[in-house]
Amino acid sequence: MNANSPPPPESAPPPRIWTPLDLINWTKSFFEKKGLESPRLEAELLLAEVLGCARIRLYVDFEKPVDAAALAKFRDFVKRRGEKREPLQYIVGHTQFVDLKIKVTPAALIPRPETEILAVWAVDRAMEIATGTPHKPDPLDTLAQSAQPVRVLDLCTGTGCVALYVASKIPSARMIATDISKEALALAAENALALKQDARVVFLQGDLFAALNESAETEPFDIIVANPPYVDENSRAALQPEVRDFEPARALFAGESGTAIARRILAECDSRLKPGGWIGIEFGADQSKSIEEIAQRAGIFDTVKIEKDGAKLPRFLMARKKAALKI
């Protein structure tokens, strides 16, 4: 070698080999610093989505190297979740609702666990009507046969999760689902197709009951369910960034008190609900007294109940319309 020749370049250090366990531990620490409530769980869910496996598989293959393409995708997911605070469900594109896999996009509100209670309640009421006998709730029950058809209306359907869950459990149900958002209805229809319920649910666009006006749906319903917007407009600044910055405002806010949409539903439901039929509405945890008073003042119900969610907070109005007088 010539004395004036430059020295040979030092060999570059080999790239670090990342394993699932390395990635979970690093991401957990990163998410903790960002203030996420369930840092390890979210790290596992994101990595399982990237690798296309169940969470348990991460620990079966905890020492298996993660390839470069998957690593790049995981880093993007982690940045979106930790730095931008994008909801995990929007990042992975789906969520679990009872036993259904529901596609989610920013076109609609992300289904919450508490709304599962409303959906199971609707199935329970529908089974009672279909069979003519009281039914003990079981979220995984499916009605095999029924001689009694059941008409169910799902207002503010969003992703379609409630309507699709009821349809999946009650073969005799005639399901109508409405939403004011064309984009949300397109998403709901996509979920219906994926879950093979597209022939069972009719989606109509419009503002609450007005969506029914231009259709042939004139017969009243046995059950009406609604998870309407119920966030007080004045509390916008206090919301978590995941909600405030990513979820559709139209699906969140309902005036200064947050009860404007529920108030309209209760005022307009009389002609759309059969005598003896049930209505179930989800509302904000601090709105129970107001919602109960609105329902009582409507004067059409013989039963008005406030039920709690899994956190023991008042969350649902369940009311039964007075039966028709027998002559």
Side-chain angles (χ1 to χ4, degrees):
M1 178 182 295
N2 190 309
N4 295 322
S5 300
E10 295 182 7
S11 58
R16 175 173 176 177
I17 297 174
W18 288 88
T19 68
L21 189 59
D22 293 332
L23 291 171
I24 289 169
N25 288 335
W26 186 94
T27 306
K28 173 180 176 290
S29 177
F30 177 69
F31 282 172
E32 284 176 340
K33 293 175 184 176
K34 295 297 182 179
L36 301 190
E37 292 184 1
S38 305
R40 188 178 194 92
L41 174 60
E42 295 209 24
E44 293 172 350
L45 290 171
L46 289 174
L47 186 56
E49 180 68 21
V50 167
L51 298 179
C53 68
R55 281 173 55 211
I56 189 64
R57 193 74 202 176
L58 299 174
Y59 293 97
V60 174
D61 297 331
F62 71 98
E63 291 185 332
K64 183 178 179 180
V66 176
D67 65 50
L71 188 58
K73 185 175 182 180
F74 182 68
R75 283 172 173 159
D76 175 61
F77 280 9
V78 170
K79 183 177 181 179
R80 289 164 63 184
R81 183 69 190 106
E83 295 183 1
K84 298 181 179 180
R85 297 296 291 268
E86 184 176 352
L88 182 142
Q89 295 90 338
Y90 285 160
I91 294 172
V92 302
H94 59 83
T95 193
Q96 194 74 18
F97 187 79
V98 197
D99 60 348
L100 302 181
K101 184 178 181 179
I102 299 292
K103 179 178 178 178
V104 293
T105 75
L109 203 70
I110 298 167
R112 268 48 172 189
E114 52 264 32
T115 306
E116 295 180 345
I117 297 174
L118 181 65
V120 172
W121 172 86
V123 166
D124 186 42
R125 299 285 78 74
M127 285 192 172
E128 288 182 353
I129 294 167
T131 62
T133 58
H135 175 256
K136 183 179 180 181
D138 185 334
L140 299 181
D141 275 1
T142 301
L143 193 63
Q145 293 181 341
S146 170
Q148 179 71 26
V150 184
R151 287 177 56 79
V152 183
L153 175 63
D154 177 27
L155 299 171
C156 310
T157 194
T159 62
C161 58
V162 174
L164 294 171
Y165 180 72
V166 176
S168 73
K169 300 302 177 187
I170 311 292
S172 68
R174 167 65 173 170
M175 295 295 312
I176 308 294
T178 77
D179 203 287
I180 198 170
S181 167
K182 178 175 66 175
E183 294 76 16
L185 285 176
L187 175 62
E190 192 174 343
N191 276 319
L193 185 62
L195 295 168
K196 297 180 172 57
Q197 299 297 329
D198 49 303
R200 309 267 336 281
V201 183
V202 175
F203 295 103
L204 300 174
Q205 184 184 0
D207 186 8
L208 300 179
F209 298 102
L212 302 170
N213 293 343
E214 296 182 5
S215 73
E217 299 297 335
T218 58
E219 183 183 346
F221 294 87
D222 296 287
I223 300 167
I224 297 173
V225 290
N227 179 18
Y230 58 71
V231 179
D232 186 336
E233 180 68 41
N234 294 321
S235 67
R236 181 188 292 263
L239 295 175
Q240 292 180 324
E242 289 89 340
V243 177
R244 183 186 63 241
D245 299 339
F246 289 93
E247 297 198 76
R250 179 183 272 184
L252 288 169
F253 300 107
E256 292 188 359
S257 68
T259 62
I261 307 300
R263 187 184 301 271
R264 283 185 54 205
I265 292 171
L266 290 168
E268 299 171 15
C269 71
D270 190 6
S271 66
R272 296 294 186 177
L273 187 61
K274 290 181 181 179
W278 285 90
I279 186 167
I281 302 175
E282 185 172 332
F283 56 79
D286 59 345
Q287 299 167 356
S288 60
K289 183 177 179 181
S290 176
I291 294 293
E292 185 174 15
E293 289 177 352
I294 294 168
Q296 295 284 9
R297 287 199 301 268
I300 64 171
F301 303 112
D302 61 16
T303 300
V304 174
K305 298 179 180 179
I306 299 295
E307 300 289 349
K308 296 181 179 179
D309 61 18
K312 306 302 180 185
L313 297 173
R315 183 69 64 181
F316 310 100
L317 169 77
M318 277 73 170
R320 185 177 63 191
K321 186 177 176 180
K322 296 175 183 178
L325 294 175
K326 296 182 178 180
I327 300 176

